[in-house]
Amino acid sequence: MALRKWPTAFGAVDYDRLPAALDQLACAHARRALASTDSREPLALIDQAVSIGACAEALLKAVLAAIDIHLVRGQSAGIETTLTLAGLPEHPDRPLPDMWTVGAIEAAQVLNRATPADVRLPEELLARIVTVRDSAVHMGFVDRAESERALADLVVLVDRVLSIRRGLGQDADWAAFWSPKHLERADTIRCERIAPVVELIELSEDNLPLLLDAAVADADPLEVMAPVPGPPGWTEQRKQAFLAFHRDRALHPTCPNERTFVITAGGRVVGAARLEPHGEEVEAGVWIGRSHRGQGVGGRVVARLRELAAGTGAHRLTAVTTPDNAAARRLIHTGFGARPRVEGDAVTGAAELR
């Protein structure tokens, strides 16, 4: 019985070399995508879109395969695929089984479950890359501006994946990935896109402890919750009150009062946002940790809250804060586009959704 090999674009490789082969493929596609930037050939944009998407998917699968080869196996894969992934001997004349593997989005989800909880791969960014690739492959739709954006997204994605790799003890050499020929261009794009990807993730029991950790590390209790008697700072009583509040308001099993979202920037938890319906109005609330303020995170969060609120059929988005919360007042003015109105101990703002 002979041990079969993976037939890759760079030659046949042993089964245990699959992570390295996928990584080599990802590097080649990344460099090809950068090299296509200035080409005016009719199919250059399609080639670039394909390489952008192929790089992202191969890179994610390389990381998964290095953790455990079976993580790249798709849900439709049968026993033959499992045996092949395990590298078991096969008859030399027997063809390889159908290789059902995870897609790019699913690969990101699997990787997020397999990595430390405080480091996440931004799935929204990957979704944009996949959309550009699929549009080019399936329909031939290409747009130079969208391709440039997808290329920038890819550079950010590679940077994030390499950070995850370092946490997993895998090789994560940024310069080697791009090669000397393309490193300067990749560095330039990364610097231009230094603003982190911001996502809103529905609050759950799994990420509630992470939200508490972010609040304790980067916010004052009075900025994120109602007053609790006791000495200043995050006492154990305040921590438990924080958890109890969210479990009662957003995670109640039968009648939650509001939707609460964990805000992540660059994959890290940096704050929370909420939407509470009141008839034709939806009240919004946002808090962001001190070290992440003034970076445009709040504006992007409010823009997403407006979309979500409009999707409920509401006519108006409102917000309430206190007179001494300058950050929230600025957000009401700049993010909501509403003039803050002081009414006693409260400052309110409202934005029309229609």
Side-chain angles (χ1 to χ4, degrees):
M1 304 286 275
L3 189 66
R4 297 291 296 272
K5 294 187 175 184
W6 296 100
T8 77
F10 302 98
V13 299
D14 291 332
Y15 287 102
D16 61 357
R17 293 289 298 163
L18 179 61
L22 288 169
D23 187 60
Q24 185 181 16
L25 183 63
C27 289
H29 274 299
R31 297 164 190 176
R32 184 182 177 91
L34 282 181
S36 300
T37 301
D38 298 323
S39 176
R40 297 295 169 179
E41 290 293 326
L43 295 181
L45 284 180
I46 290 182
D47 288 343
Q48 184 181 54
V50 171
S51 282
I52 289 170
C55 170
E57 187 159 337
L59 181 60
L60 292 174
K61 289 181 180 178
V63 181
L64 292 179
I67 298 172
D68 185 331
I69 193 71
H70 295 287
L71 291 179
V72 302
R73 181 169 64 91
Q75 293 182 352
S76 300
I79 185 65
E80 287 188 340
T81 298
T82 301
L83 292 174
T84 302
L85 288 169
L88 296 183
E90 299 176 15
H91 192 281
D93 296 328
R94 186 179 183 182
L96 285 171
D98 291 336
M99 296 310 298
W100 292 90
T101 63
V102 293
I105 301 297
E106 186 181 357
Q109 295 168 346
V110 173
L111 185 57
N112 278 336
R113 293 196 295 269
T115 53
D118 64 334
V119 180
R120 294 189 70 261
L121 190 68
E123 296 172 23
E124 177 183 306
L125 182 148
L126 180 61
R128 293 201 300 265
I129 291 174
V130 171
T131 297
V132 169
R133 178 197 64 182
D134 290 350
S135 296
V137 171
H138 300 304
M139 292 298 295
F141 293 161
V142 291
D143 177 88
R144 189 168 294 277
E146 286 299 315
S147 294
E148 285 297 313
R149 182 184 181 190
L151 181 61
D153 285 339
L154 177 66
V155 173
V156 174
L157 181 77
V158 170
D159 186 44
R160 171 57 54 182
V161 172
L162 294 185
S163 295
I164 292 174
R165 272 185 160 183
R166 282 189 285 272
L168 294 171
Q170 298 182 17
D171 178 59
D173 191 325
W174 168 264
F177 185 90
W178 294 106
S179 81
K181 180 178 180 181
H182 301 289
L183 180 59
E184 183 178 353
R185 173 69 172 141
D187 282 340
T188 299
I189 294 174
R190 181 170 63 170
C191 289
E192 291 172 350
R193 285 289 304 275
I194 198 167
V197 175
V198 176
E199 291 186 292
L200 268 61
I201 303 168
E202 199 92 29
L203 184 69
S204 67
E205 282 292 346
D206 289 336
N207 57 33
L208 178 57
L210 299 178
L211 183 61
L212 174 60
D213 289 345
V216 171
D218 214 19
D220 186 271
L222 290 176
E223 295 176 316
V224 303
M225 61 184 294
V228 174
W234 281 99
T235 62
E236 187 60 32
Q237 184 180 7
R238 287 196 178 94
K239 293 178 184 178
Q240 293 304 315
F242 180 94
L243 296 174
F245 174 83
H246 286 294
R247 286 175 176 142
D248 180 61
R249 298 284 298 179
L251 299 180
H252 194 283
T254 57
C255 52
N257 296 91
E258 62 191 29
R259 290 181 69 189
T260 298
F261 306 90
V262 172
I263 303 170
T264 64
R268 295 186 178 276
V269 177
V270 300
R274 66 180 181 86
L275 290 173
E276 182 179 354
H278 297 285
E280 293 187 345
E281 293 185 352
V282 176
E283 181 181 321
V286 179
W287 69 263
I288 297 168
R290 297 187 196 94
S291 62
H292 297 276
R293 296 170 190 169
Q295 301 175 21
V297 175
R300 280 175 279 177
V301 169
V302 169
R304 180 60 179 143
L305 290 178
R306 287 178 66 102
E307 293 176 2
L308 292 169
T312 67
H315 294 174
R316 191 176 299 105
L317 185 66
T318 64
V320 181
T321 187
T322 56
D324 59 346
N325 193 332
R329 293 181 66 168
R330 282 196 301 271
L331 195 56
I332 289 175
H333 187 207
T334 60
F336 283 68
R339 183 181 297 277
R341 186 173 65 255
V342 179
E343 299 176 342
D345 294 332
V347 178
T348 63
E352 298 298 323
L353 297 175
R354 296 185 179 184

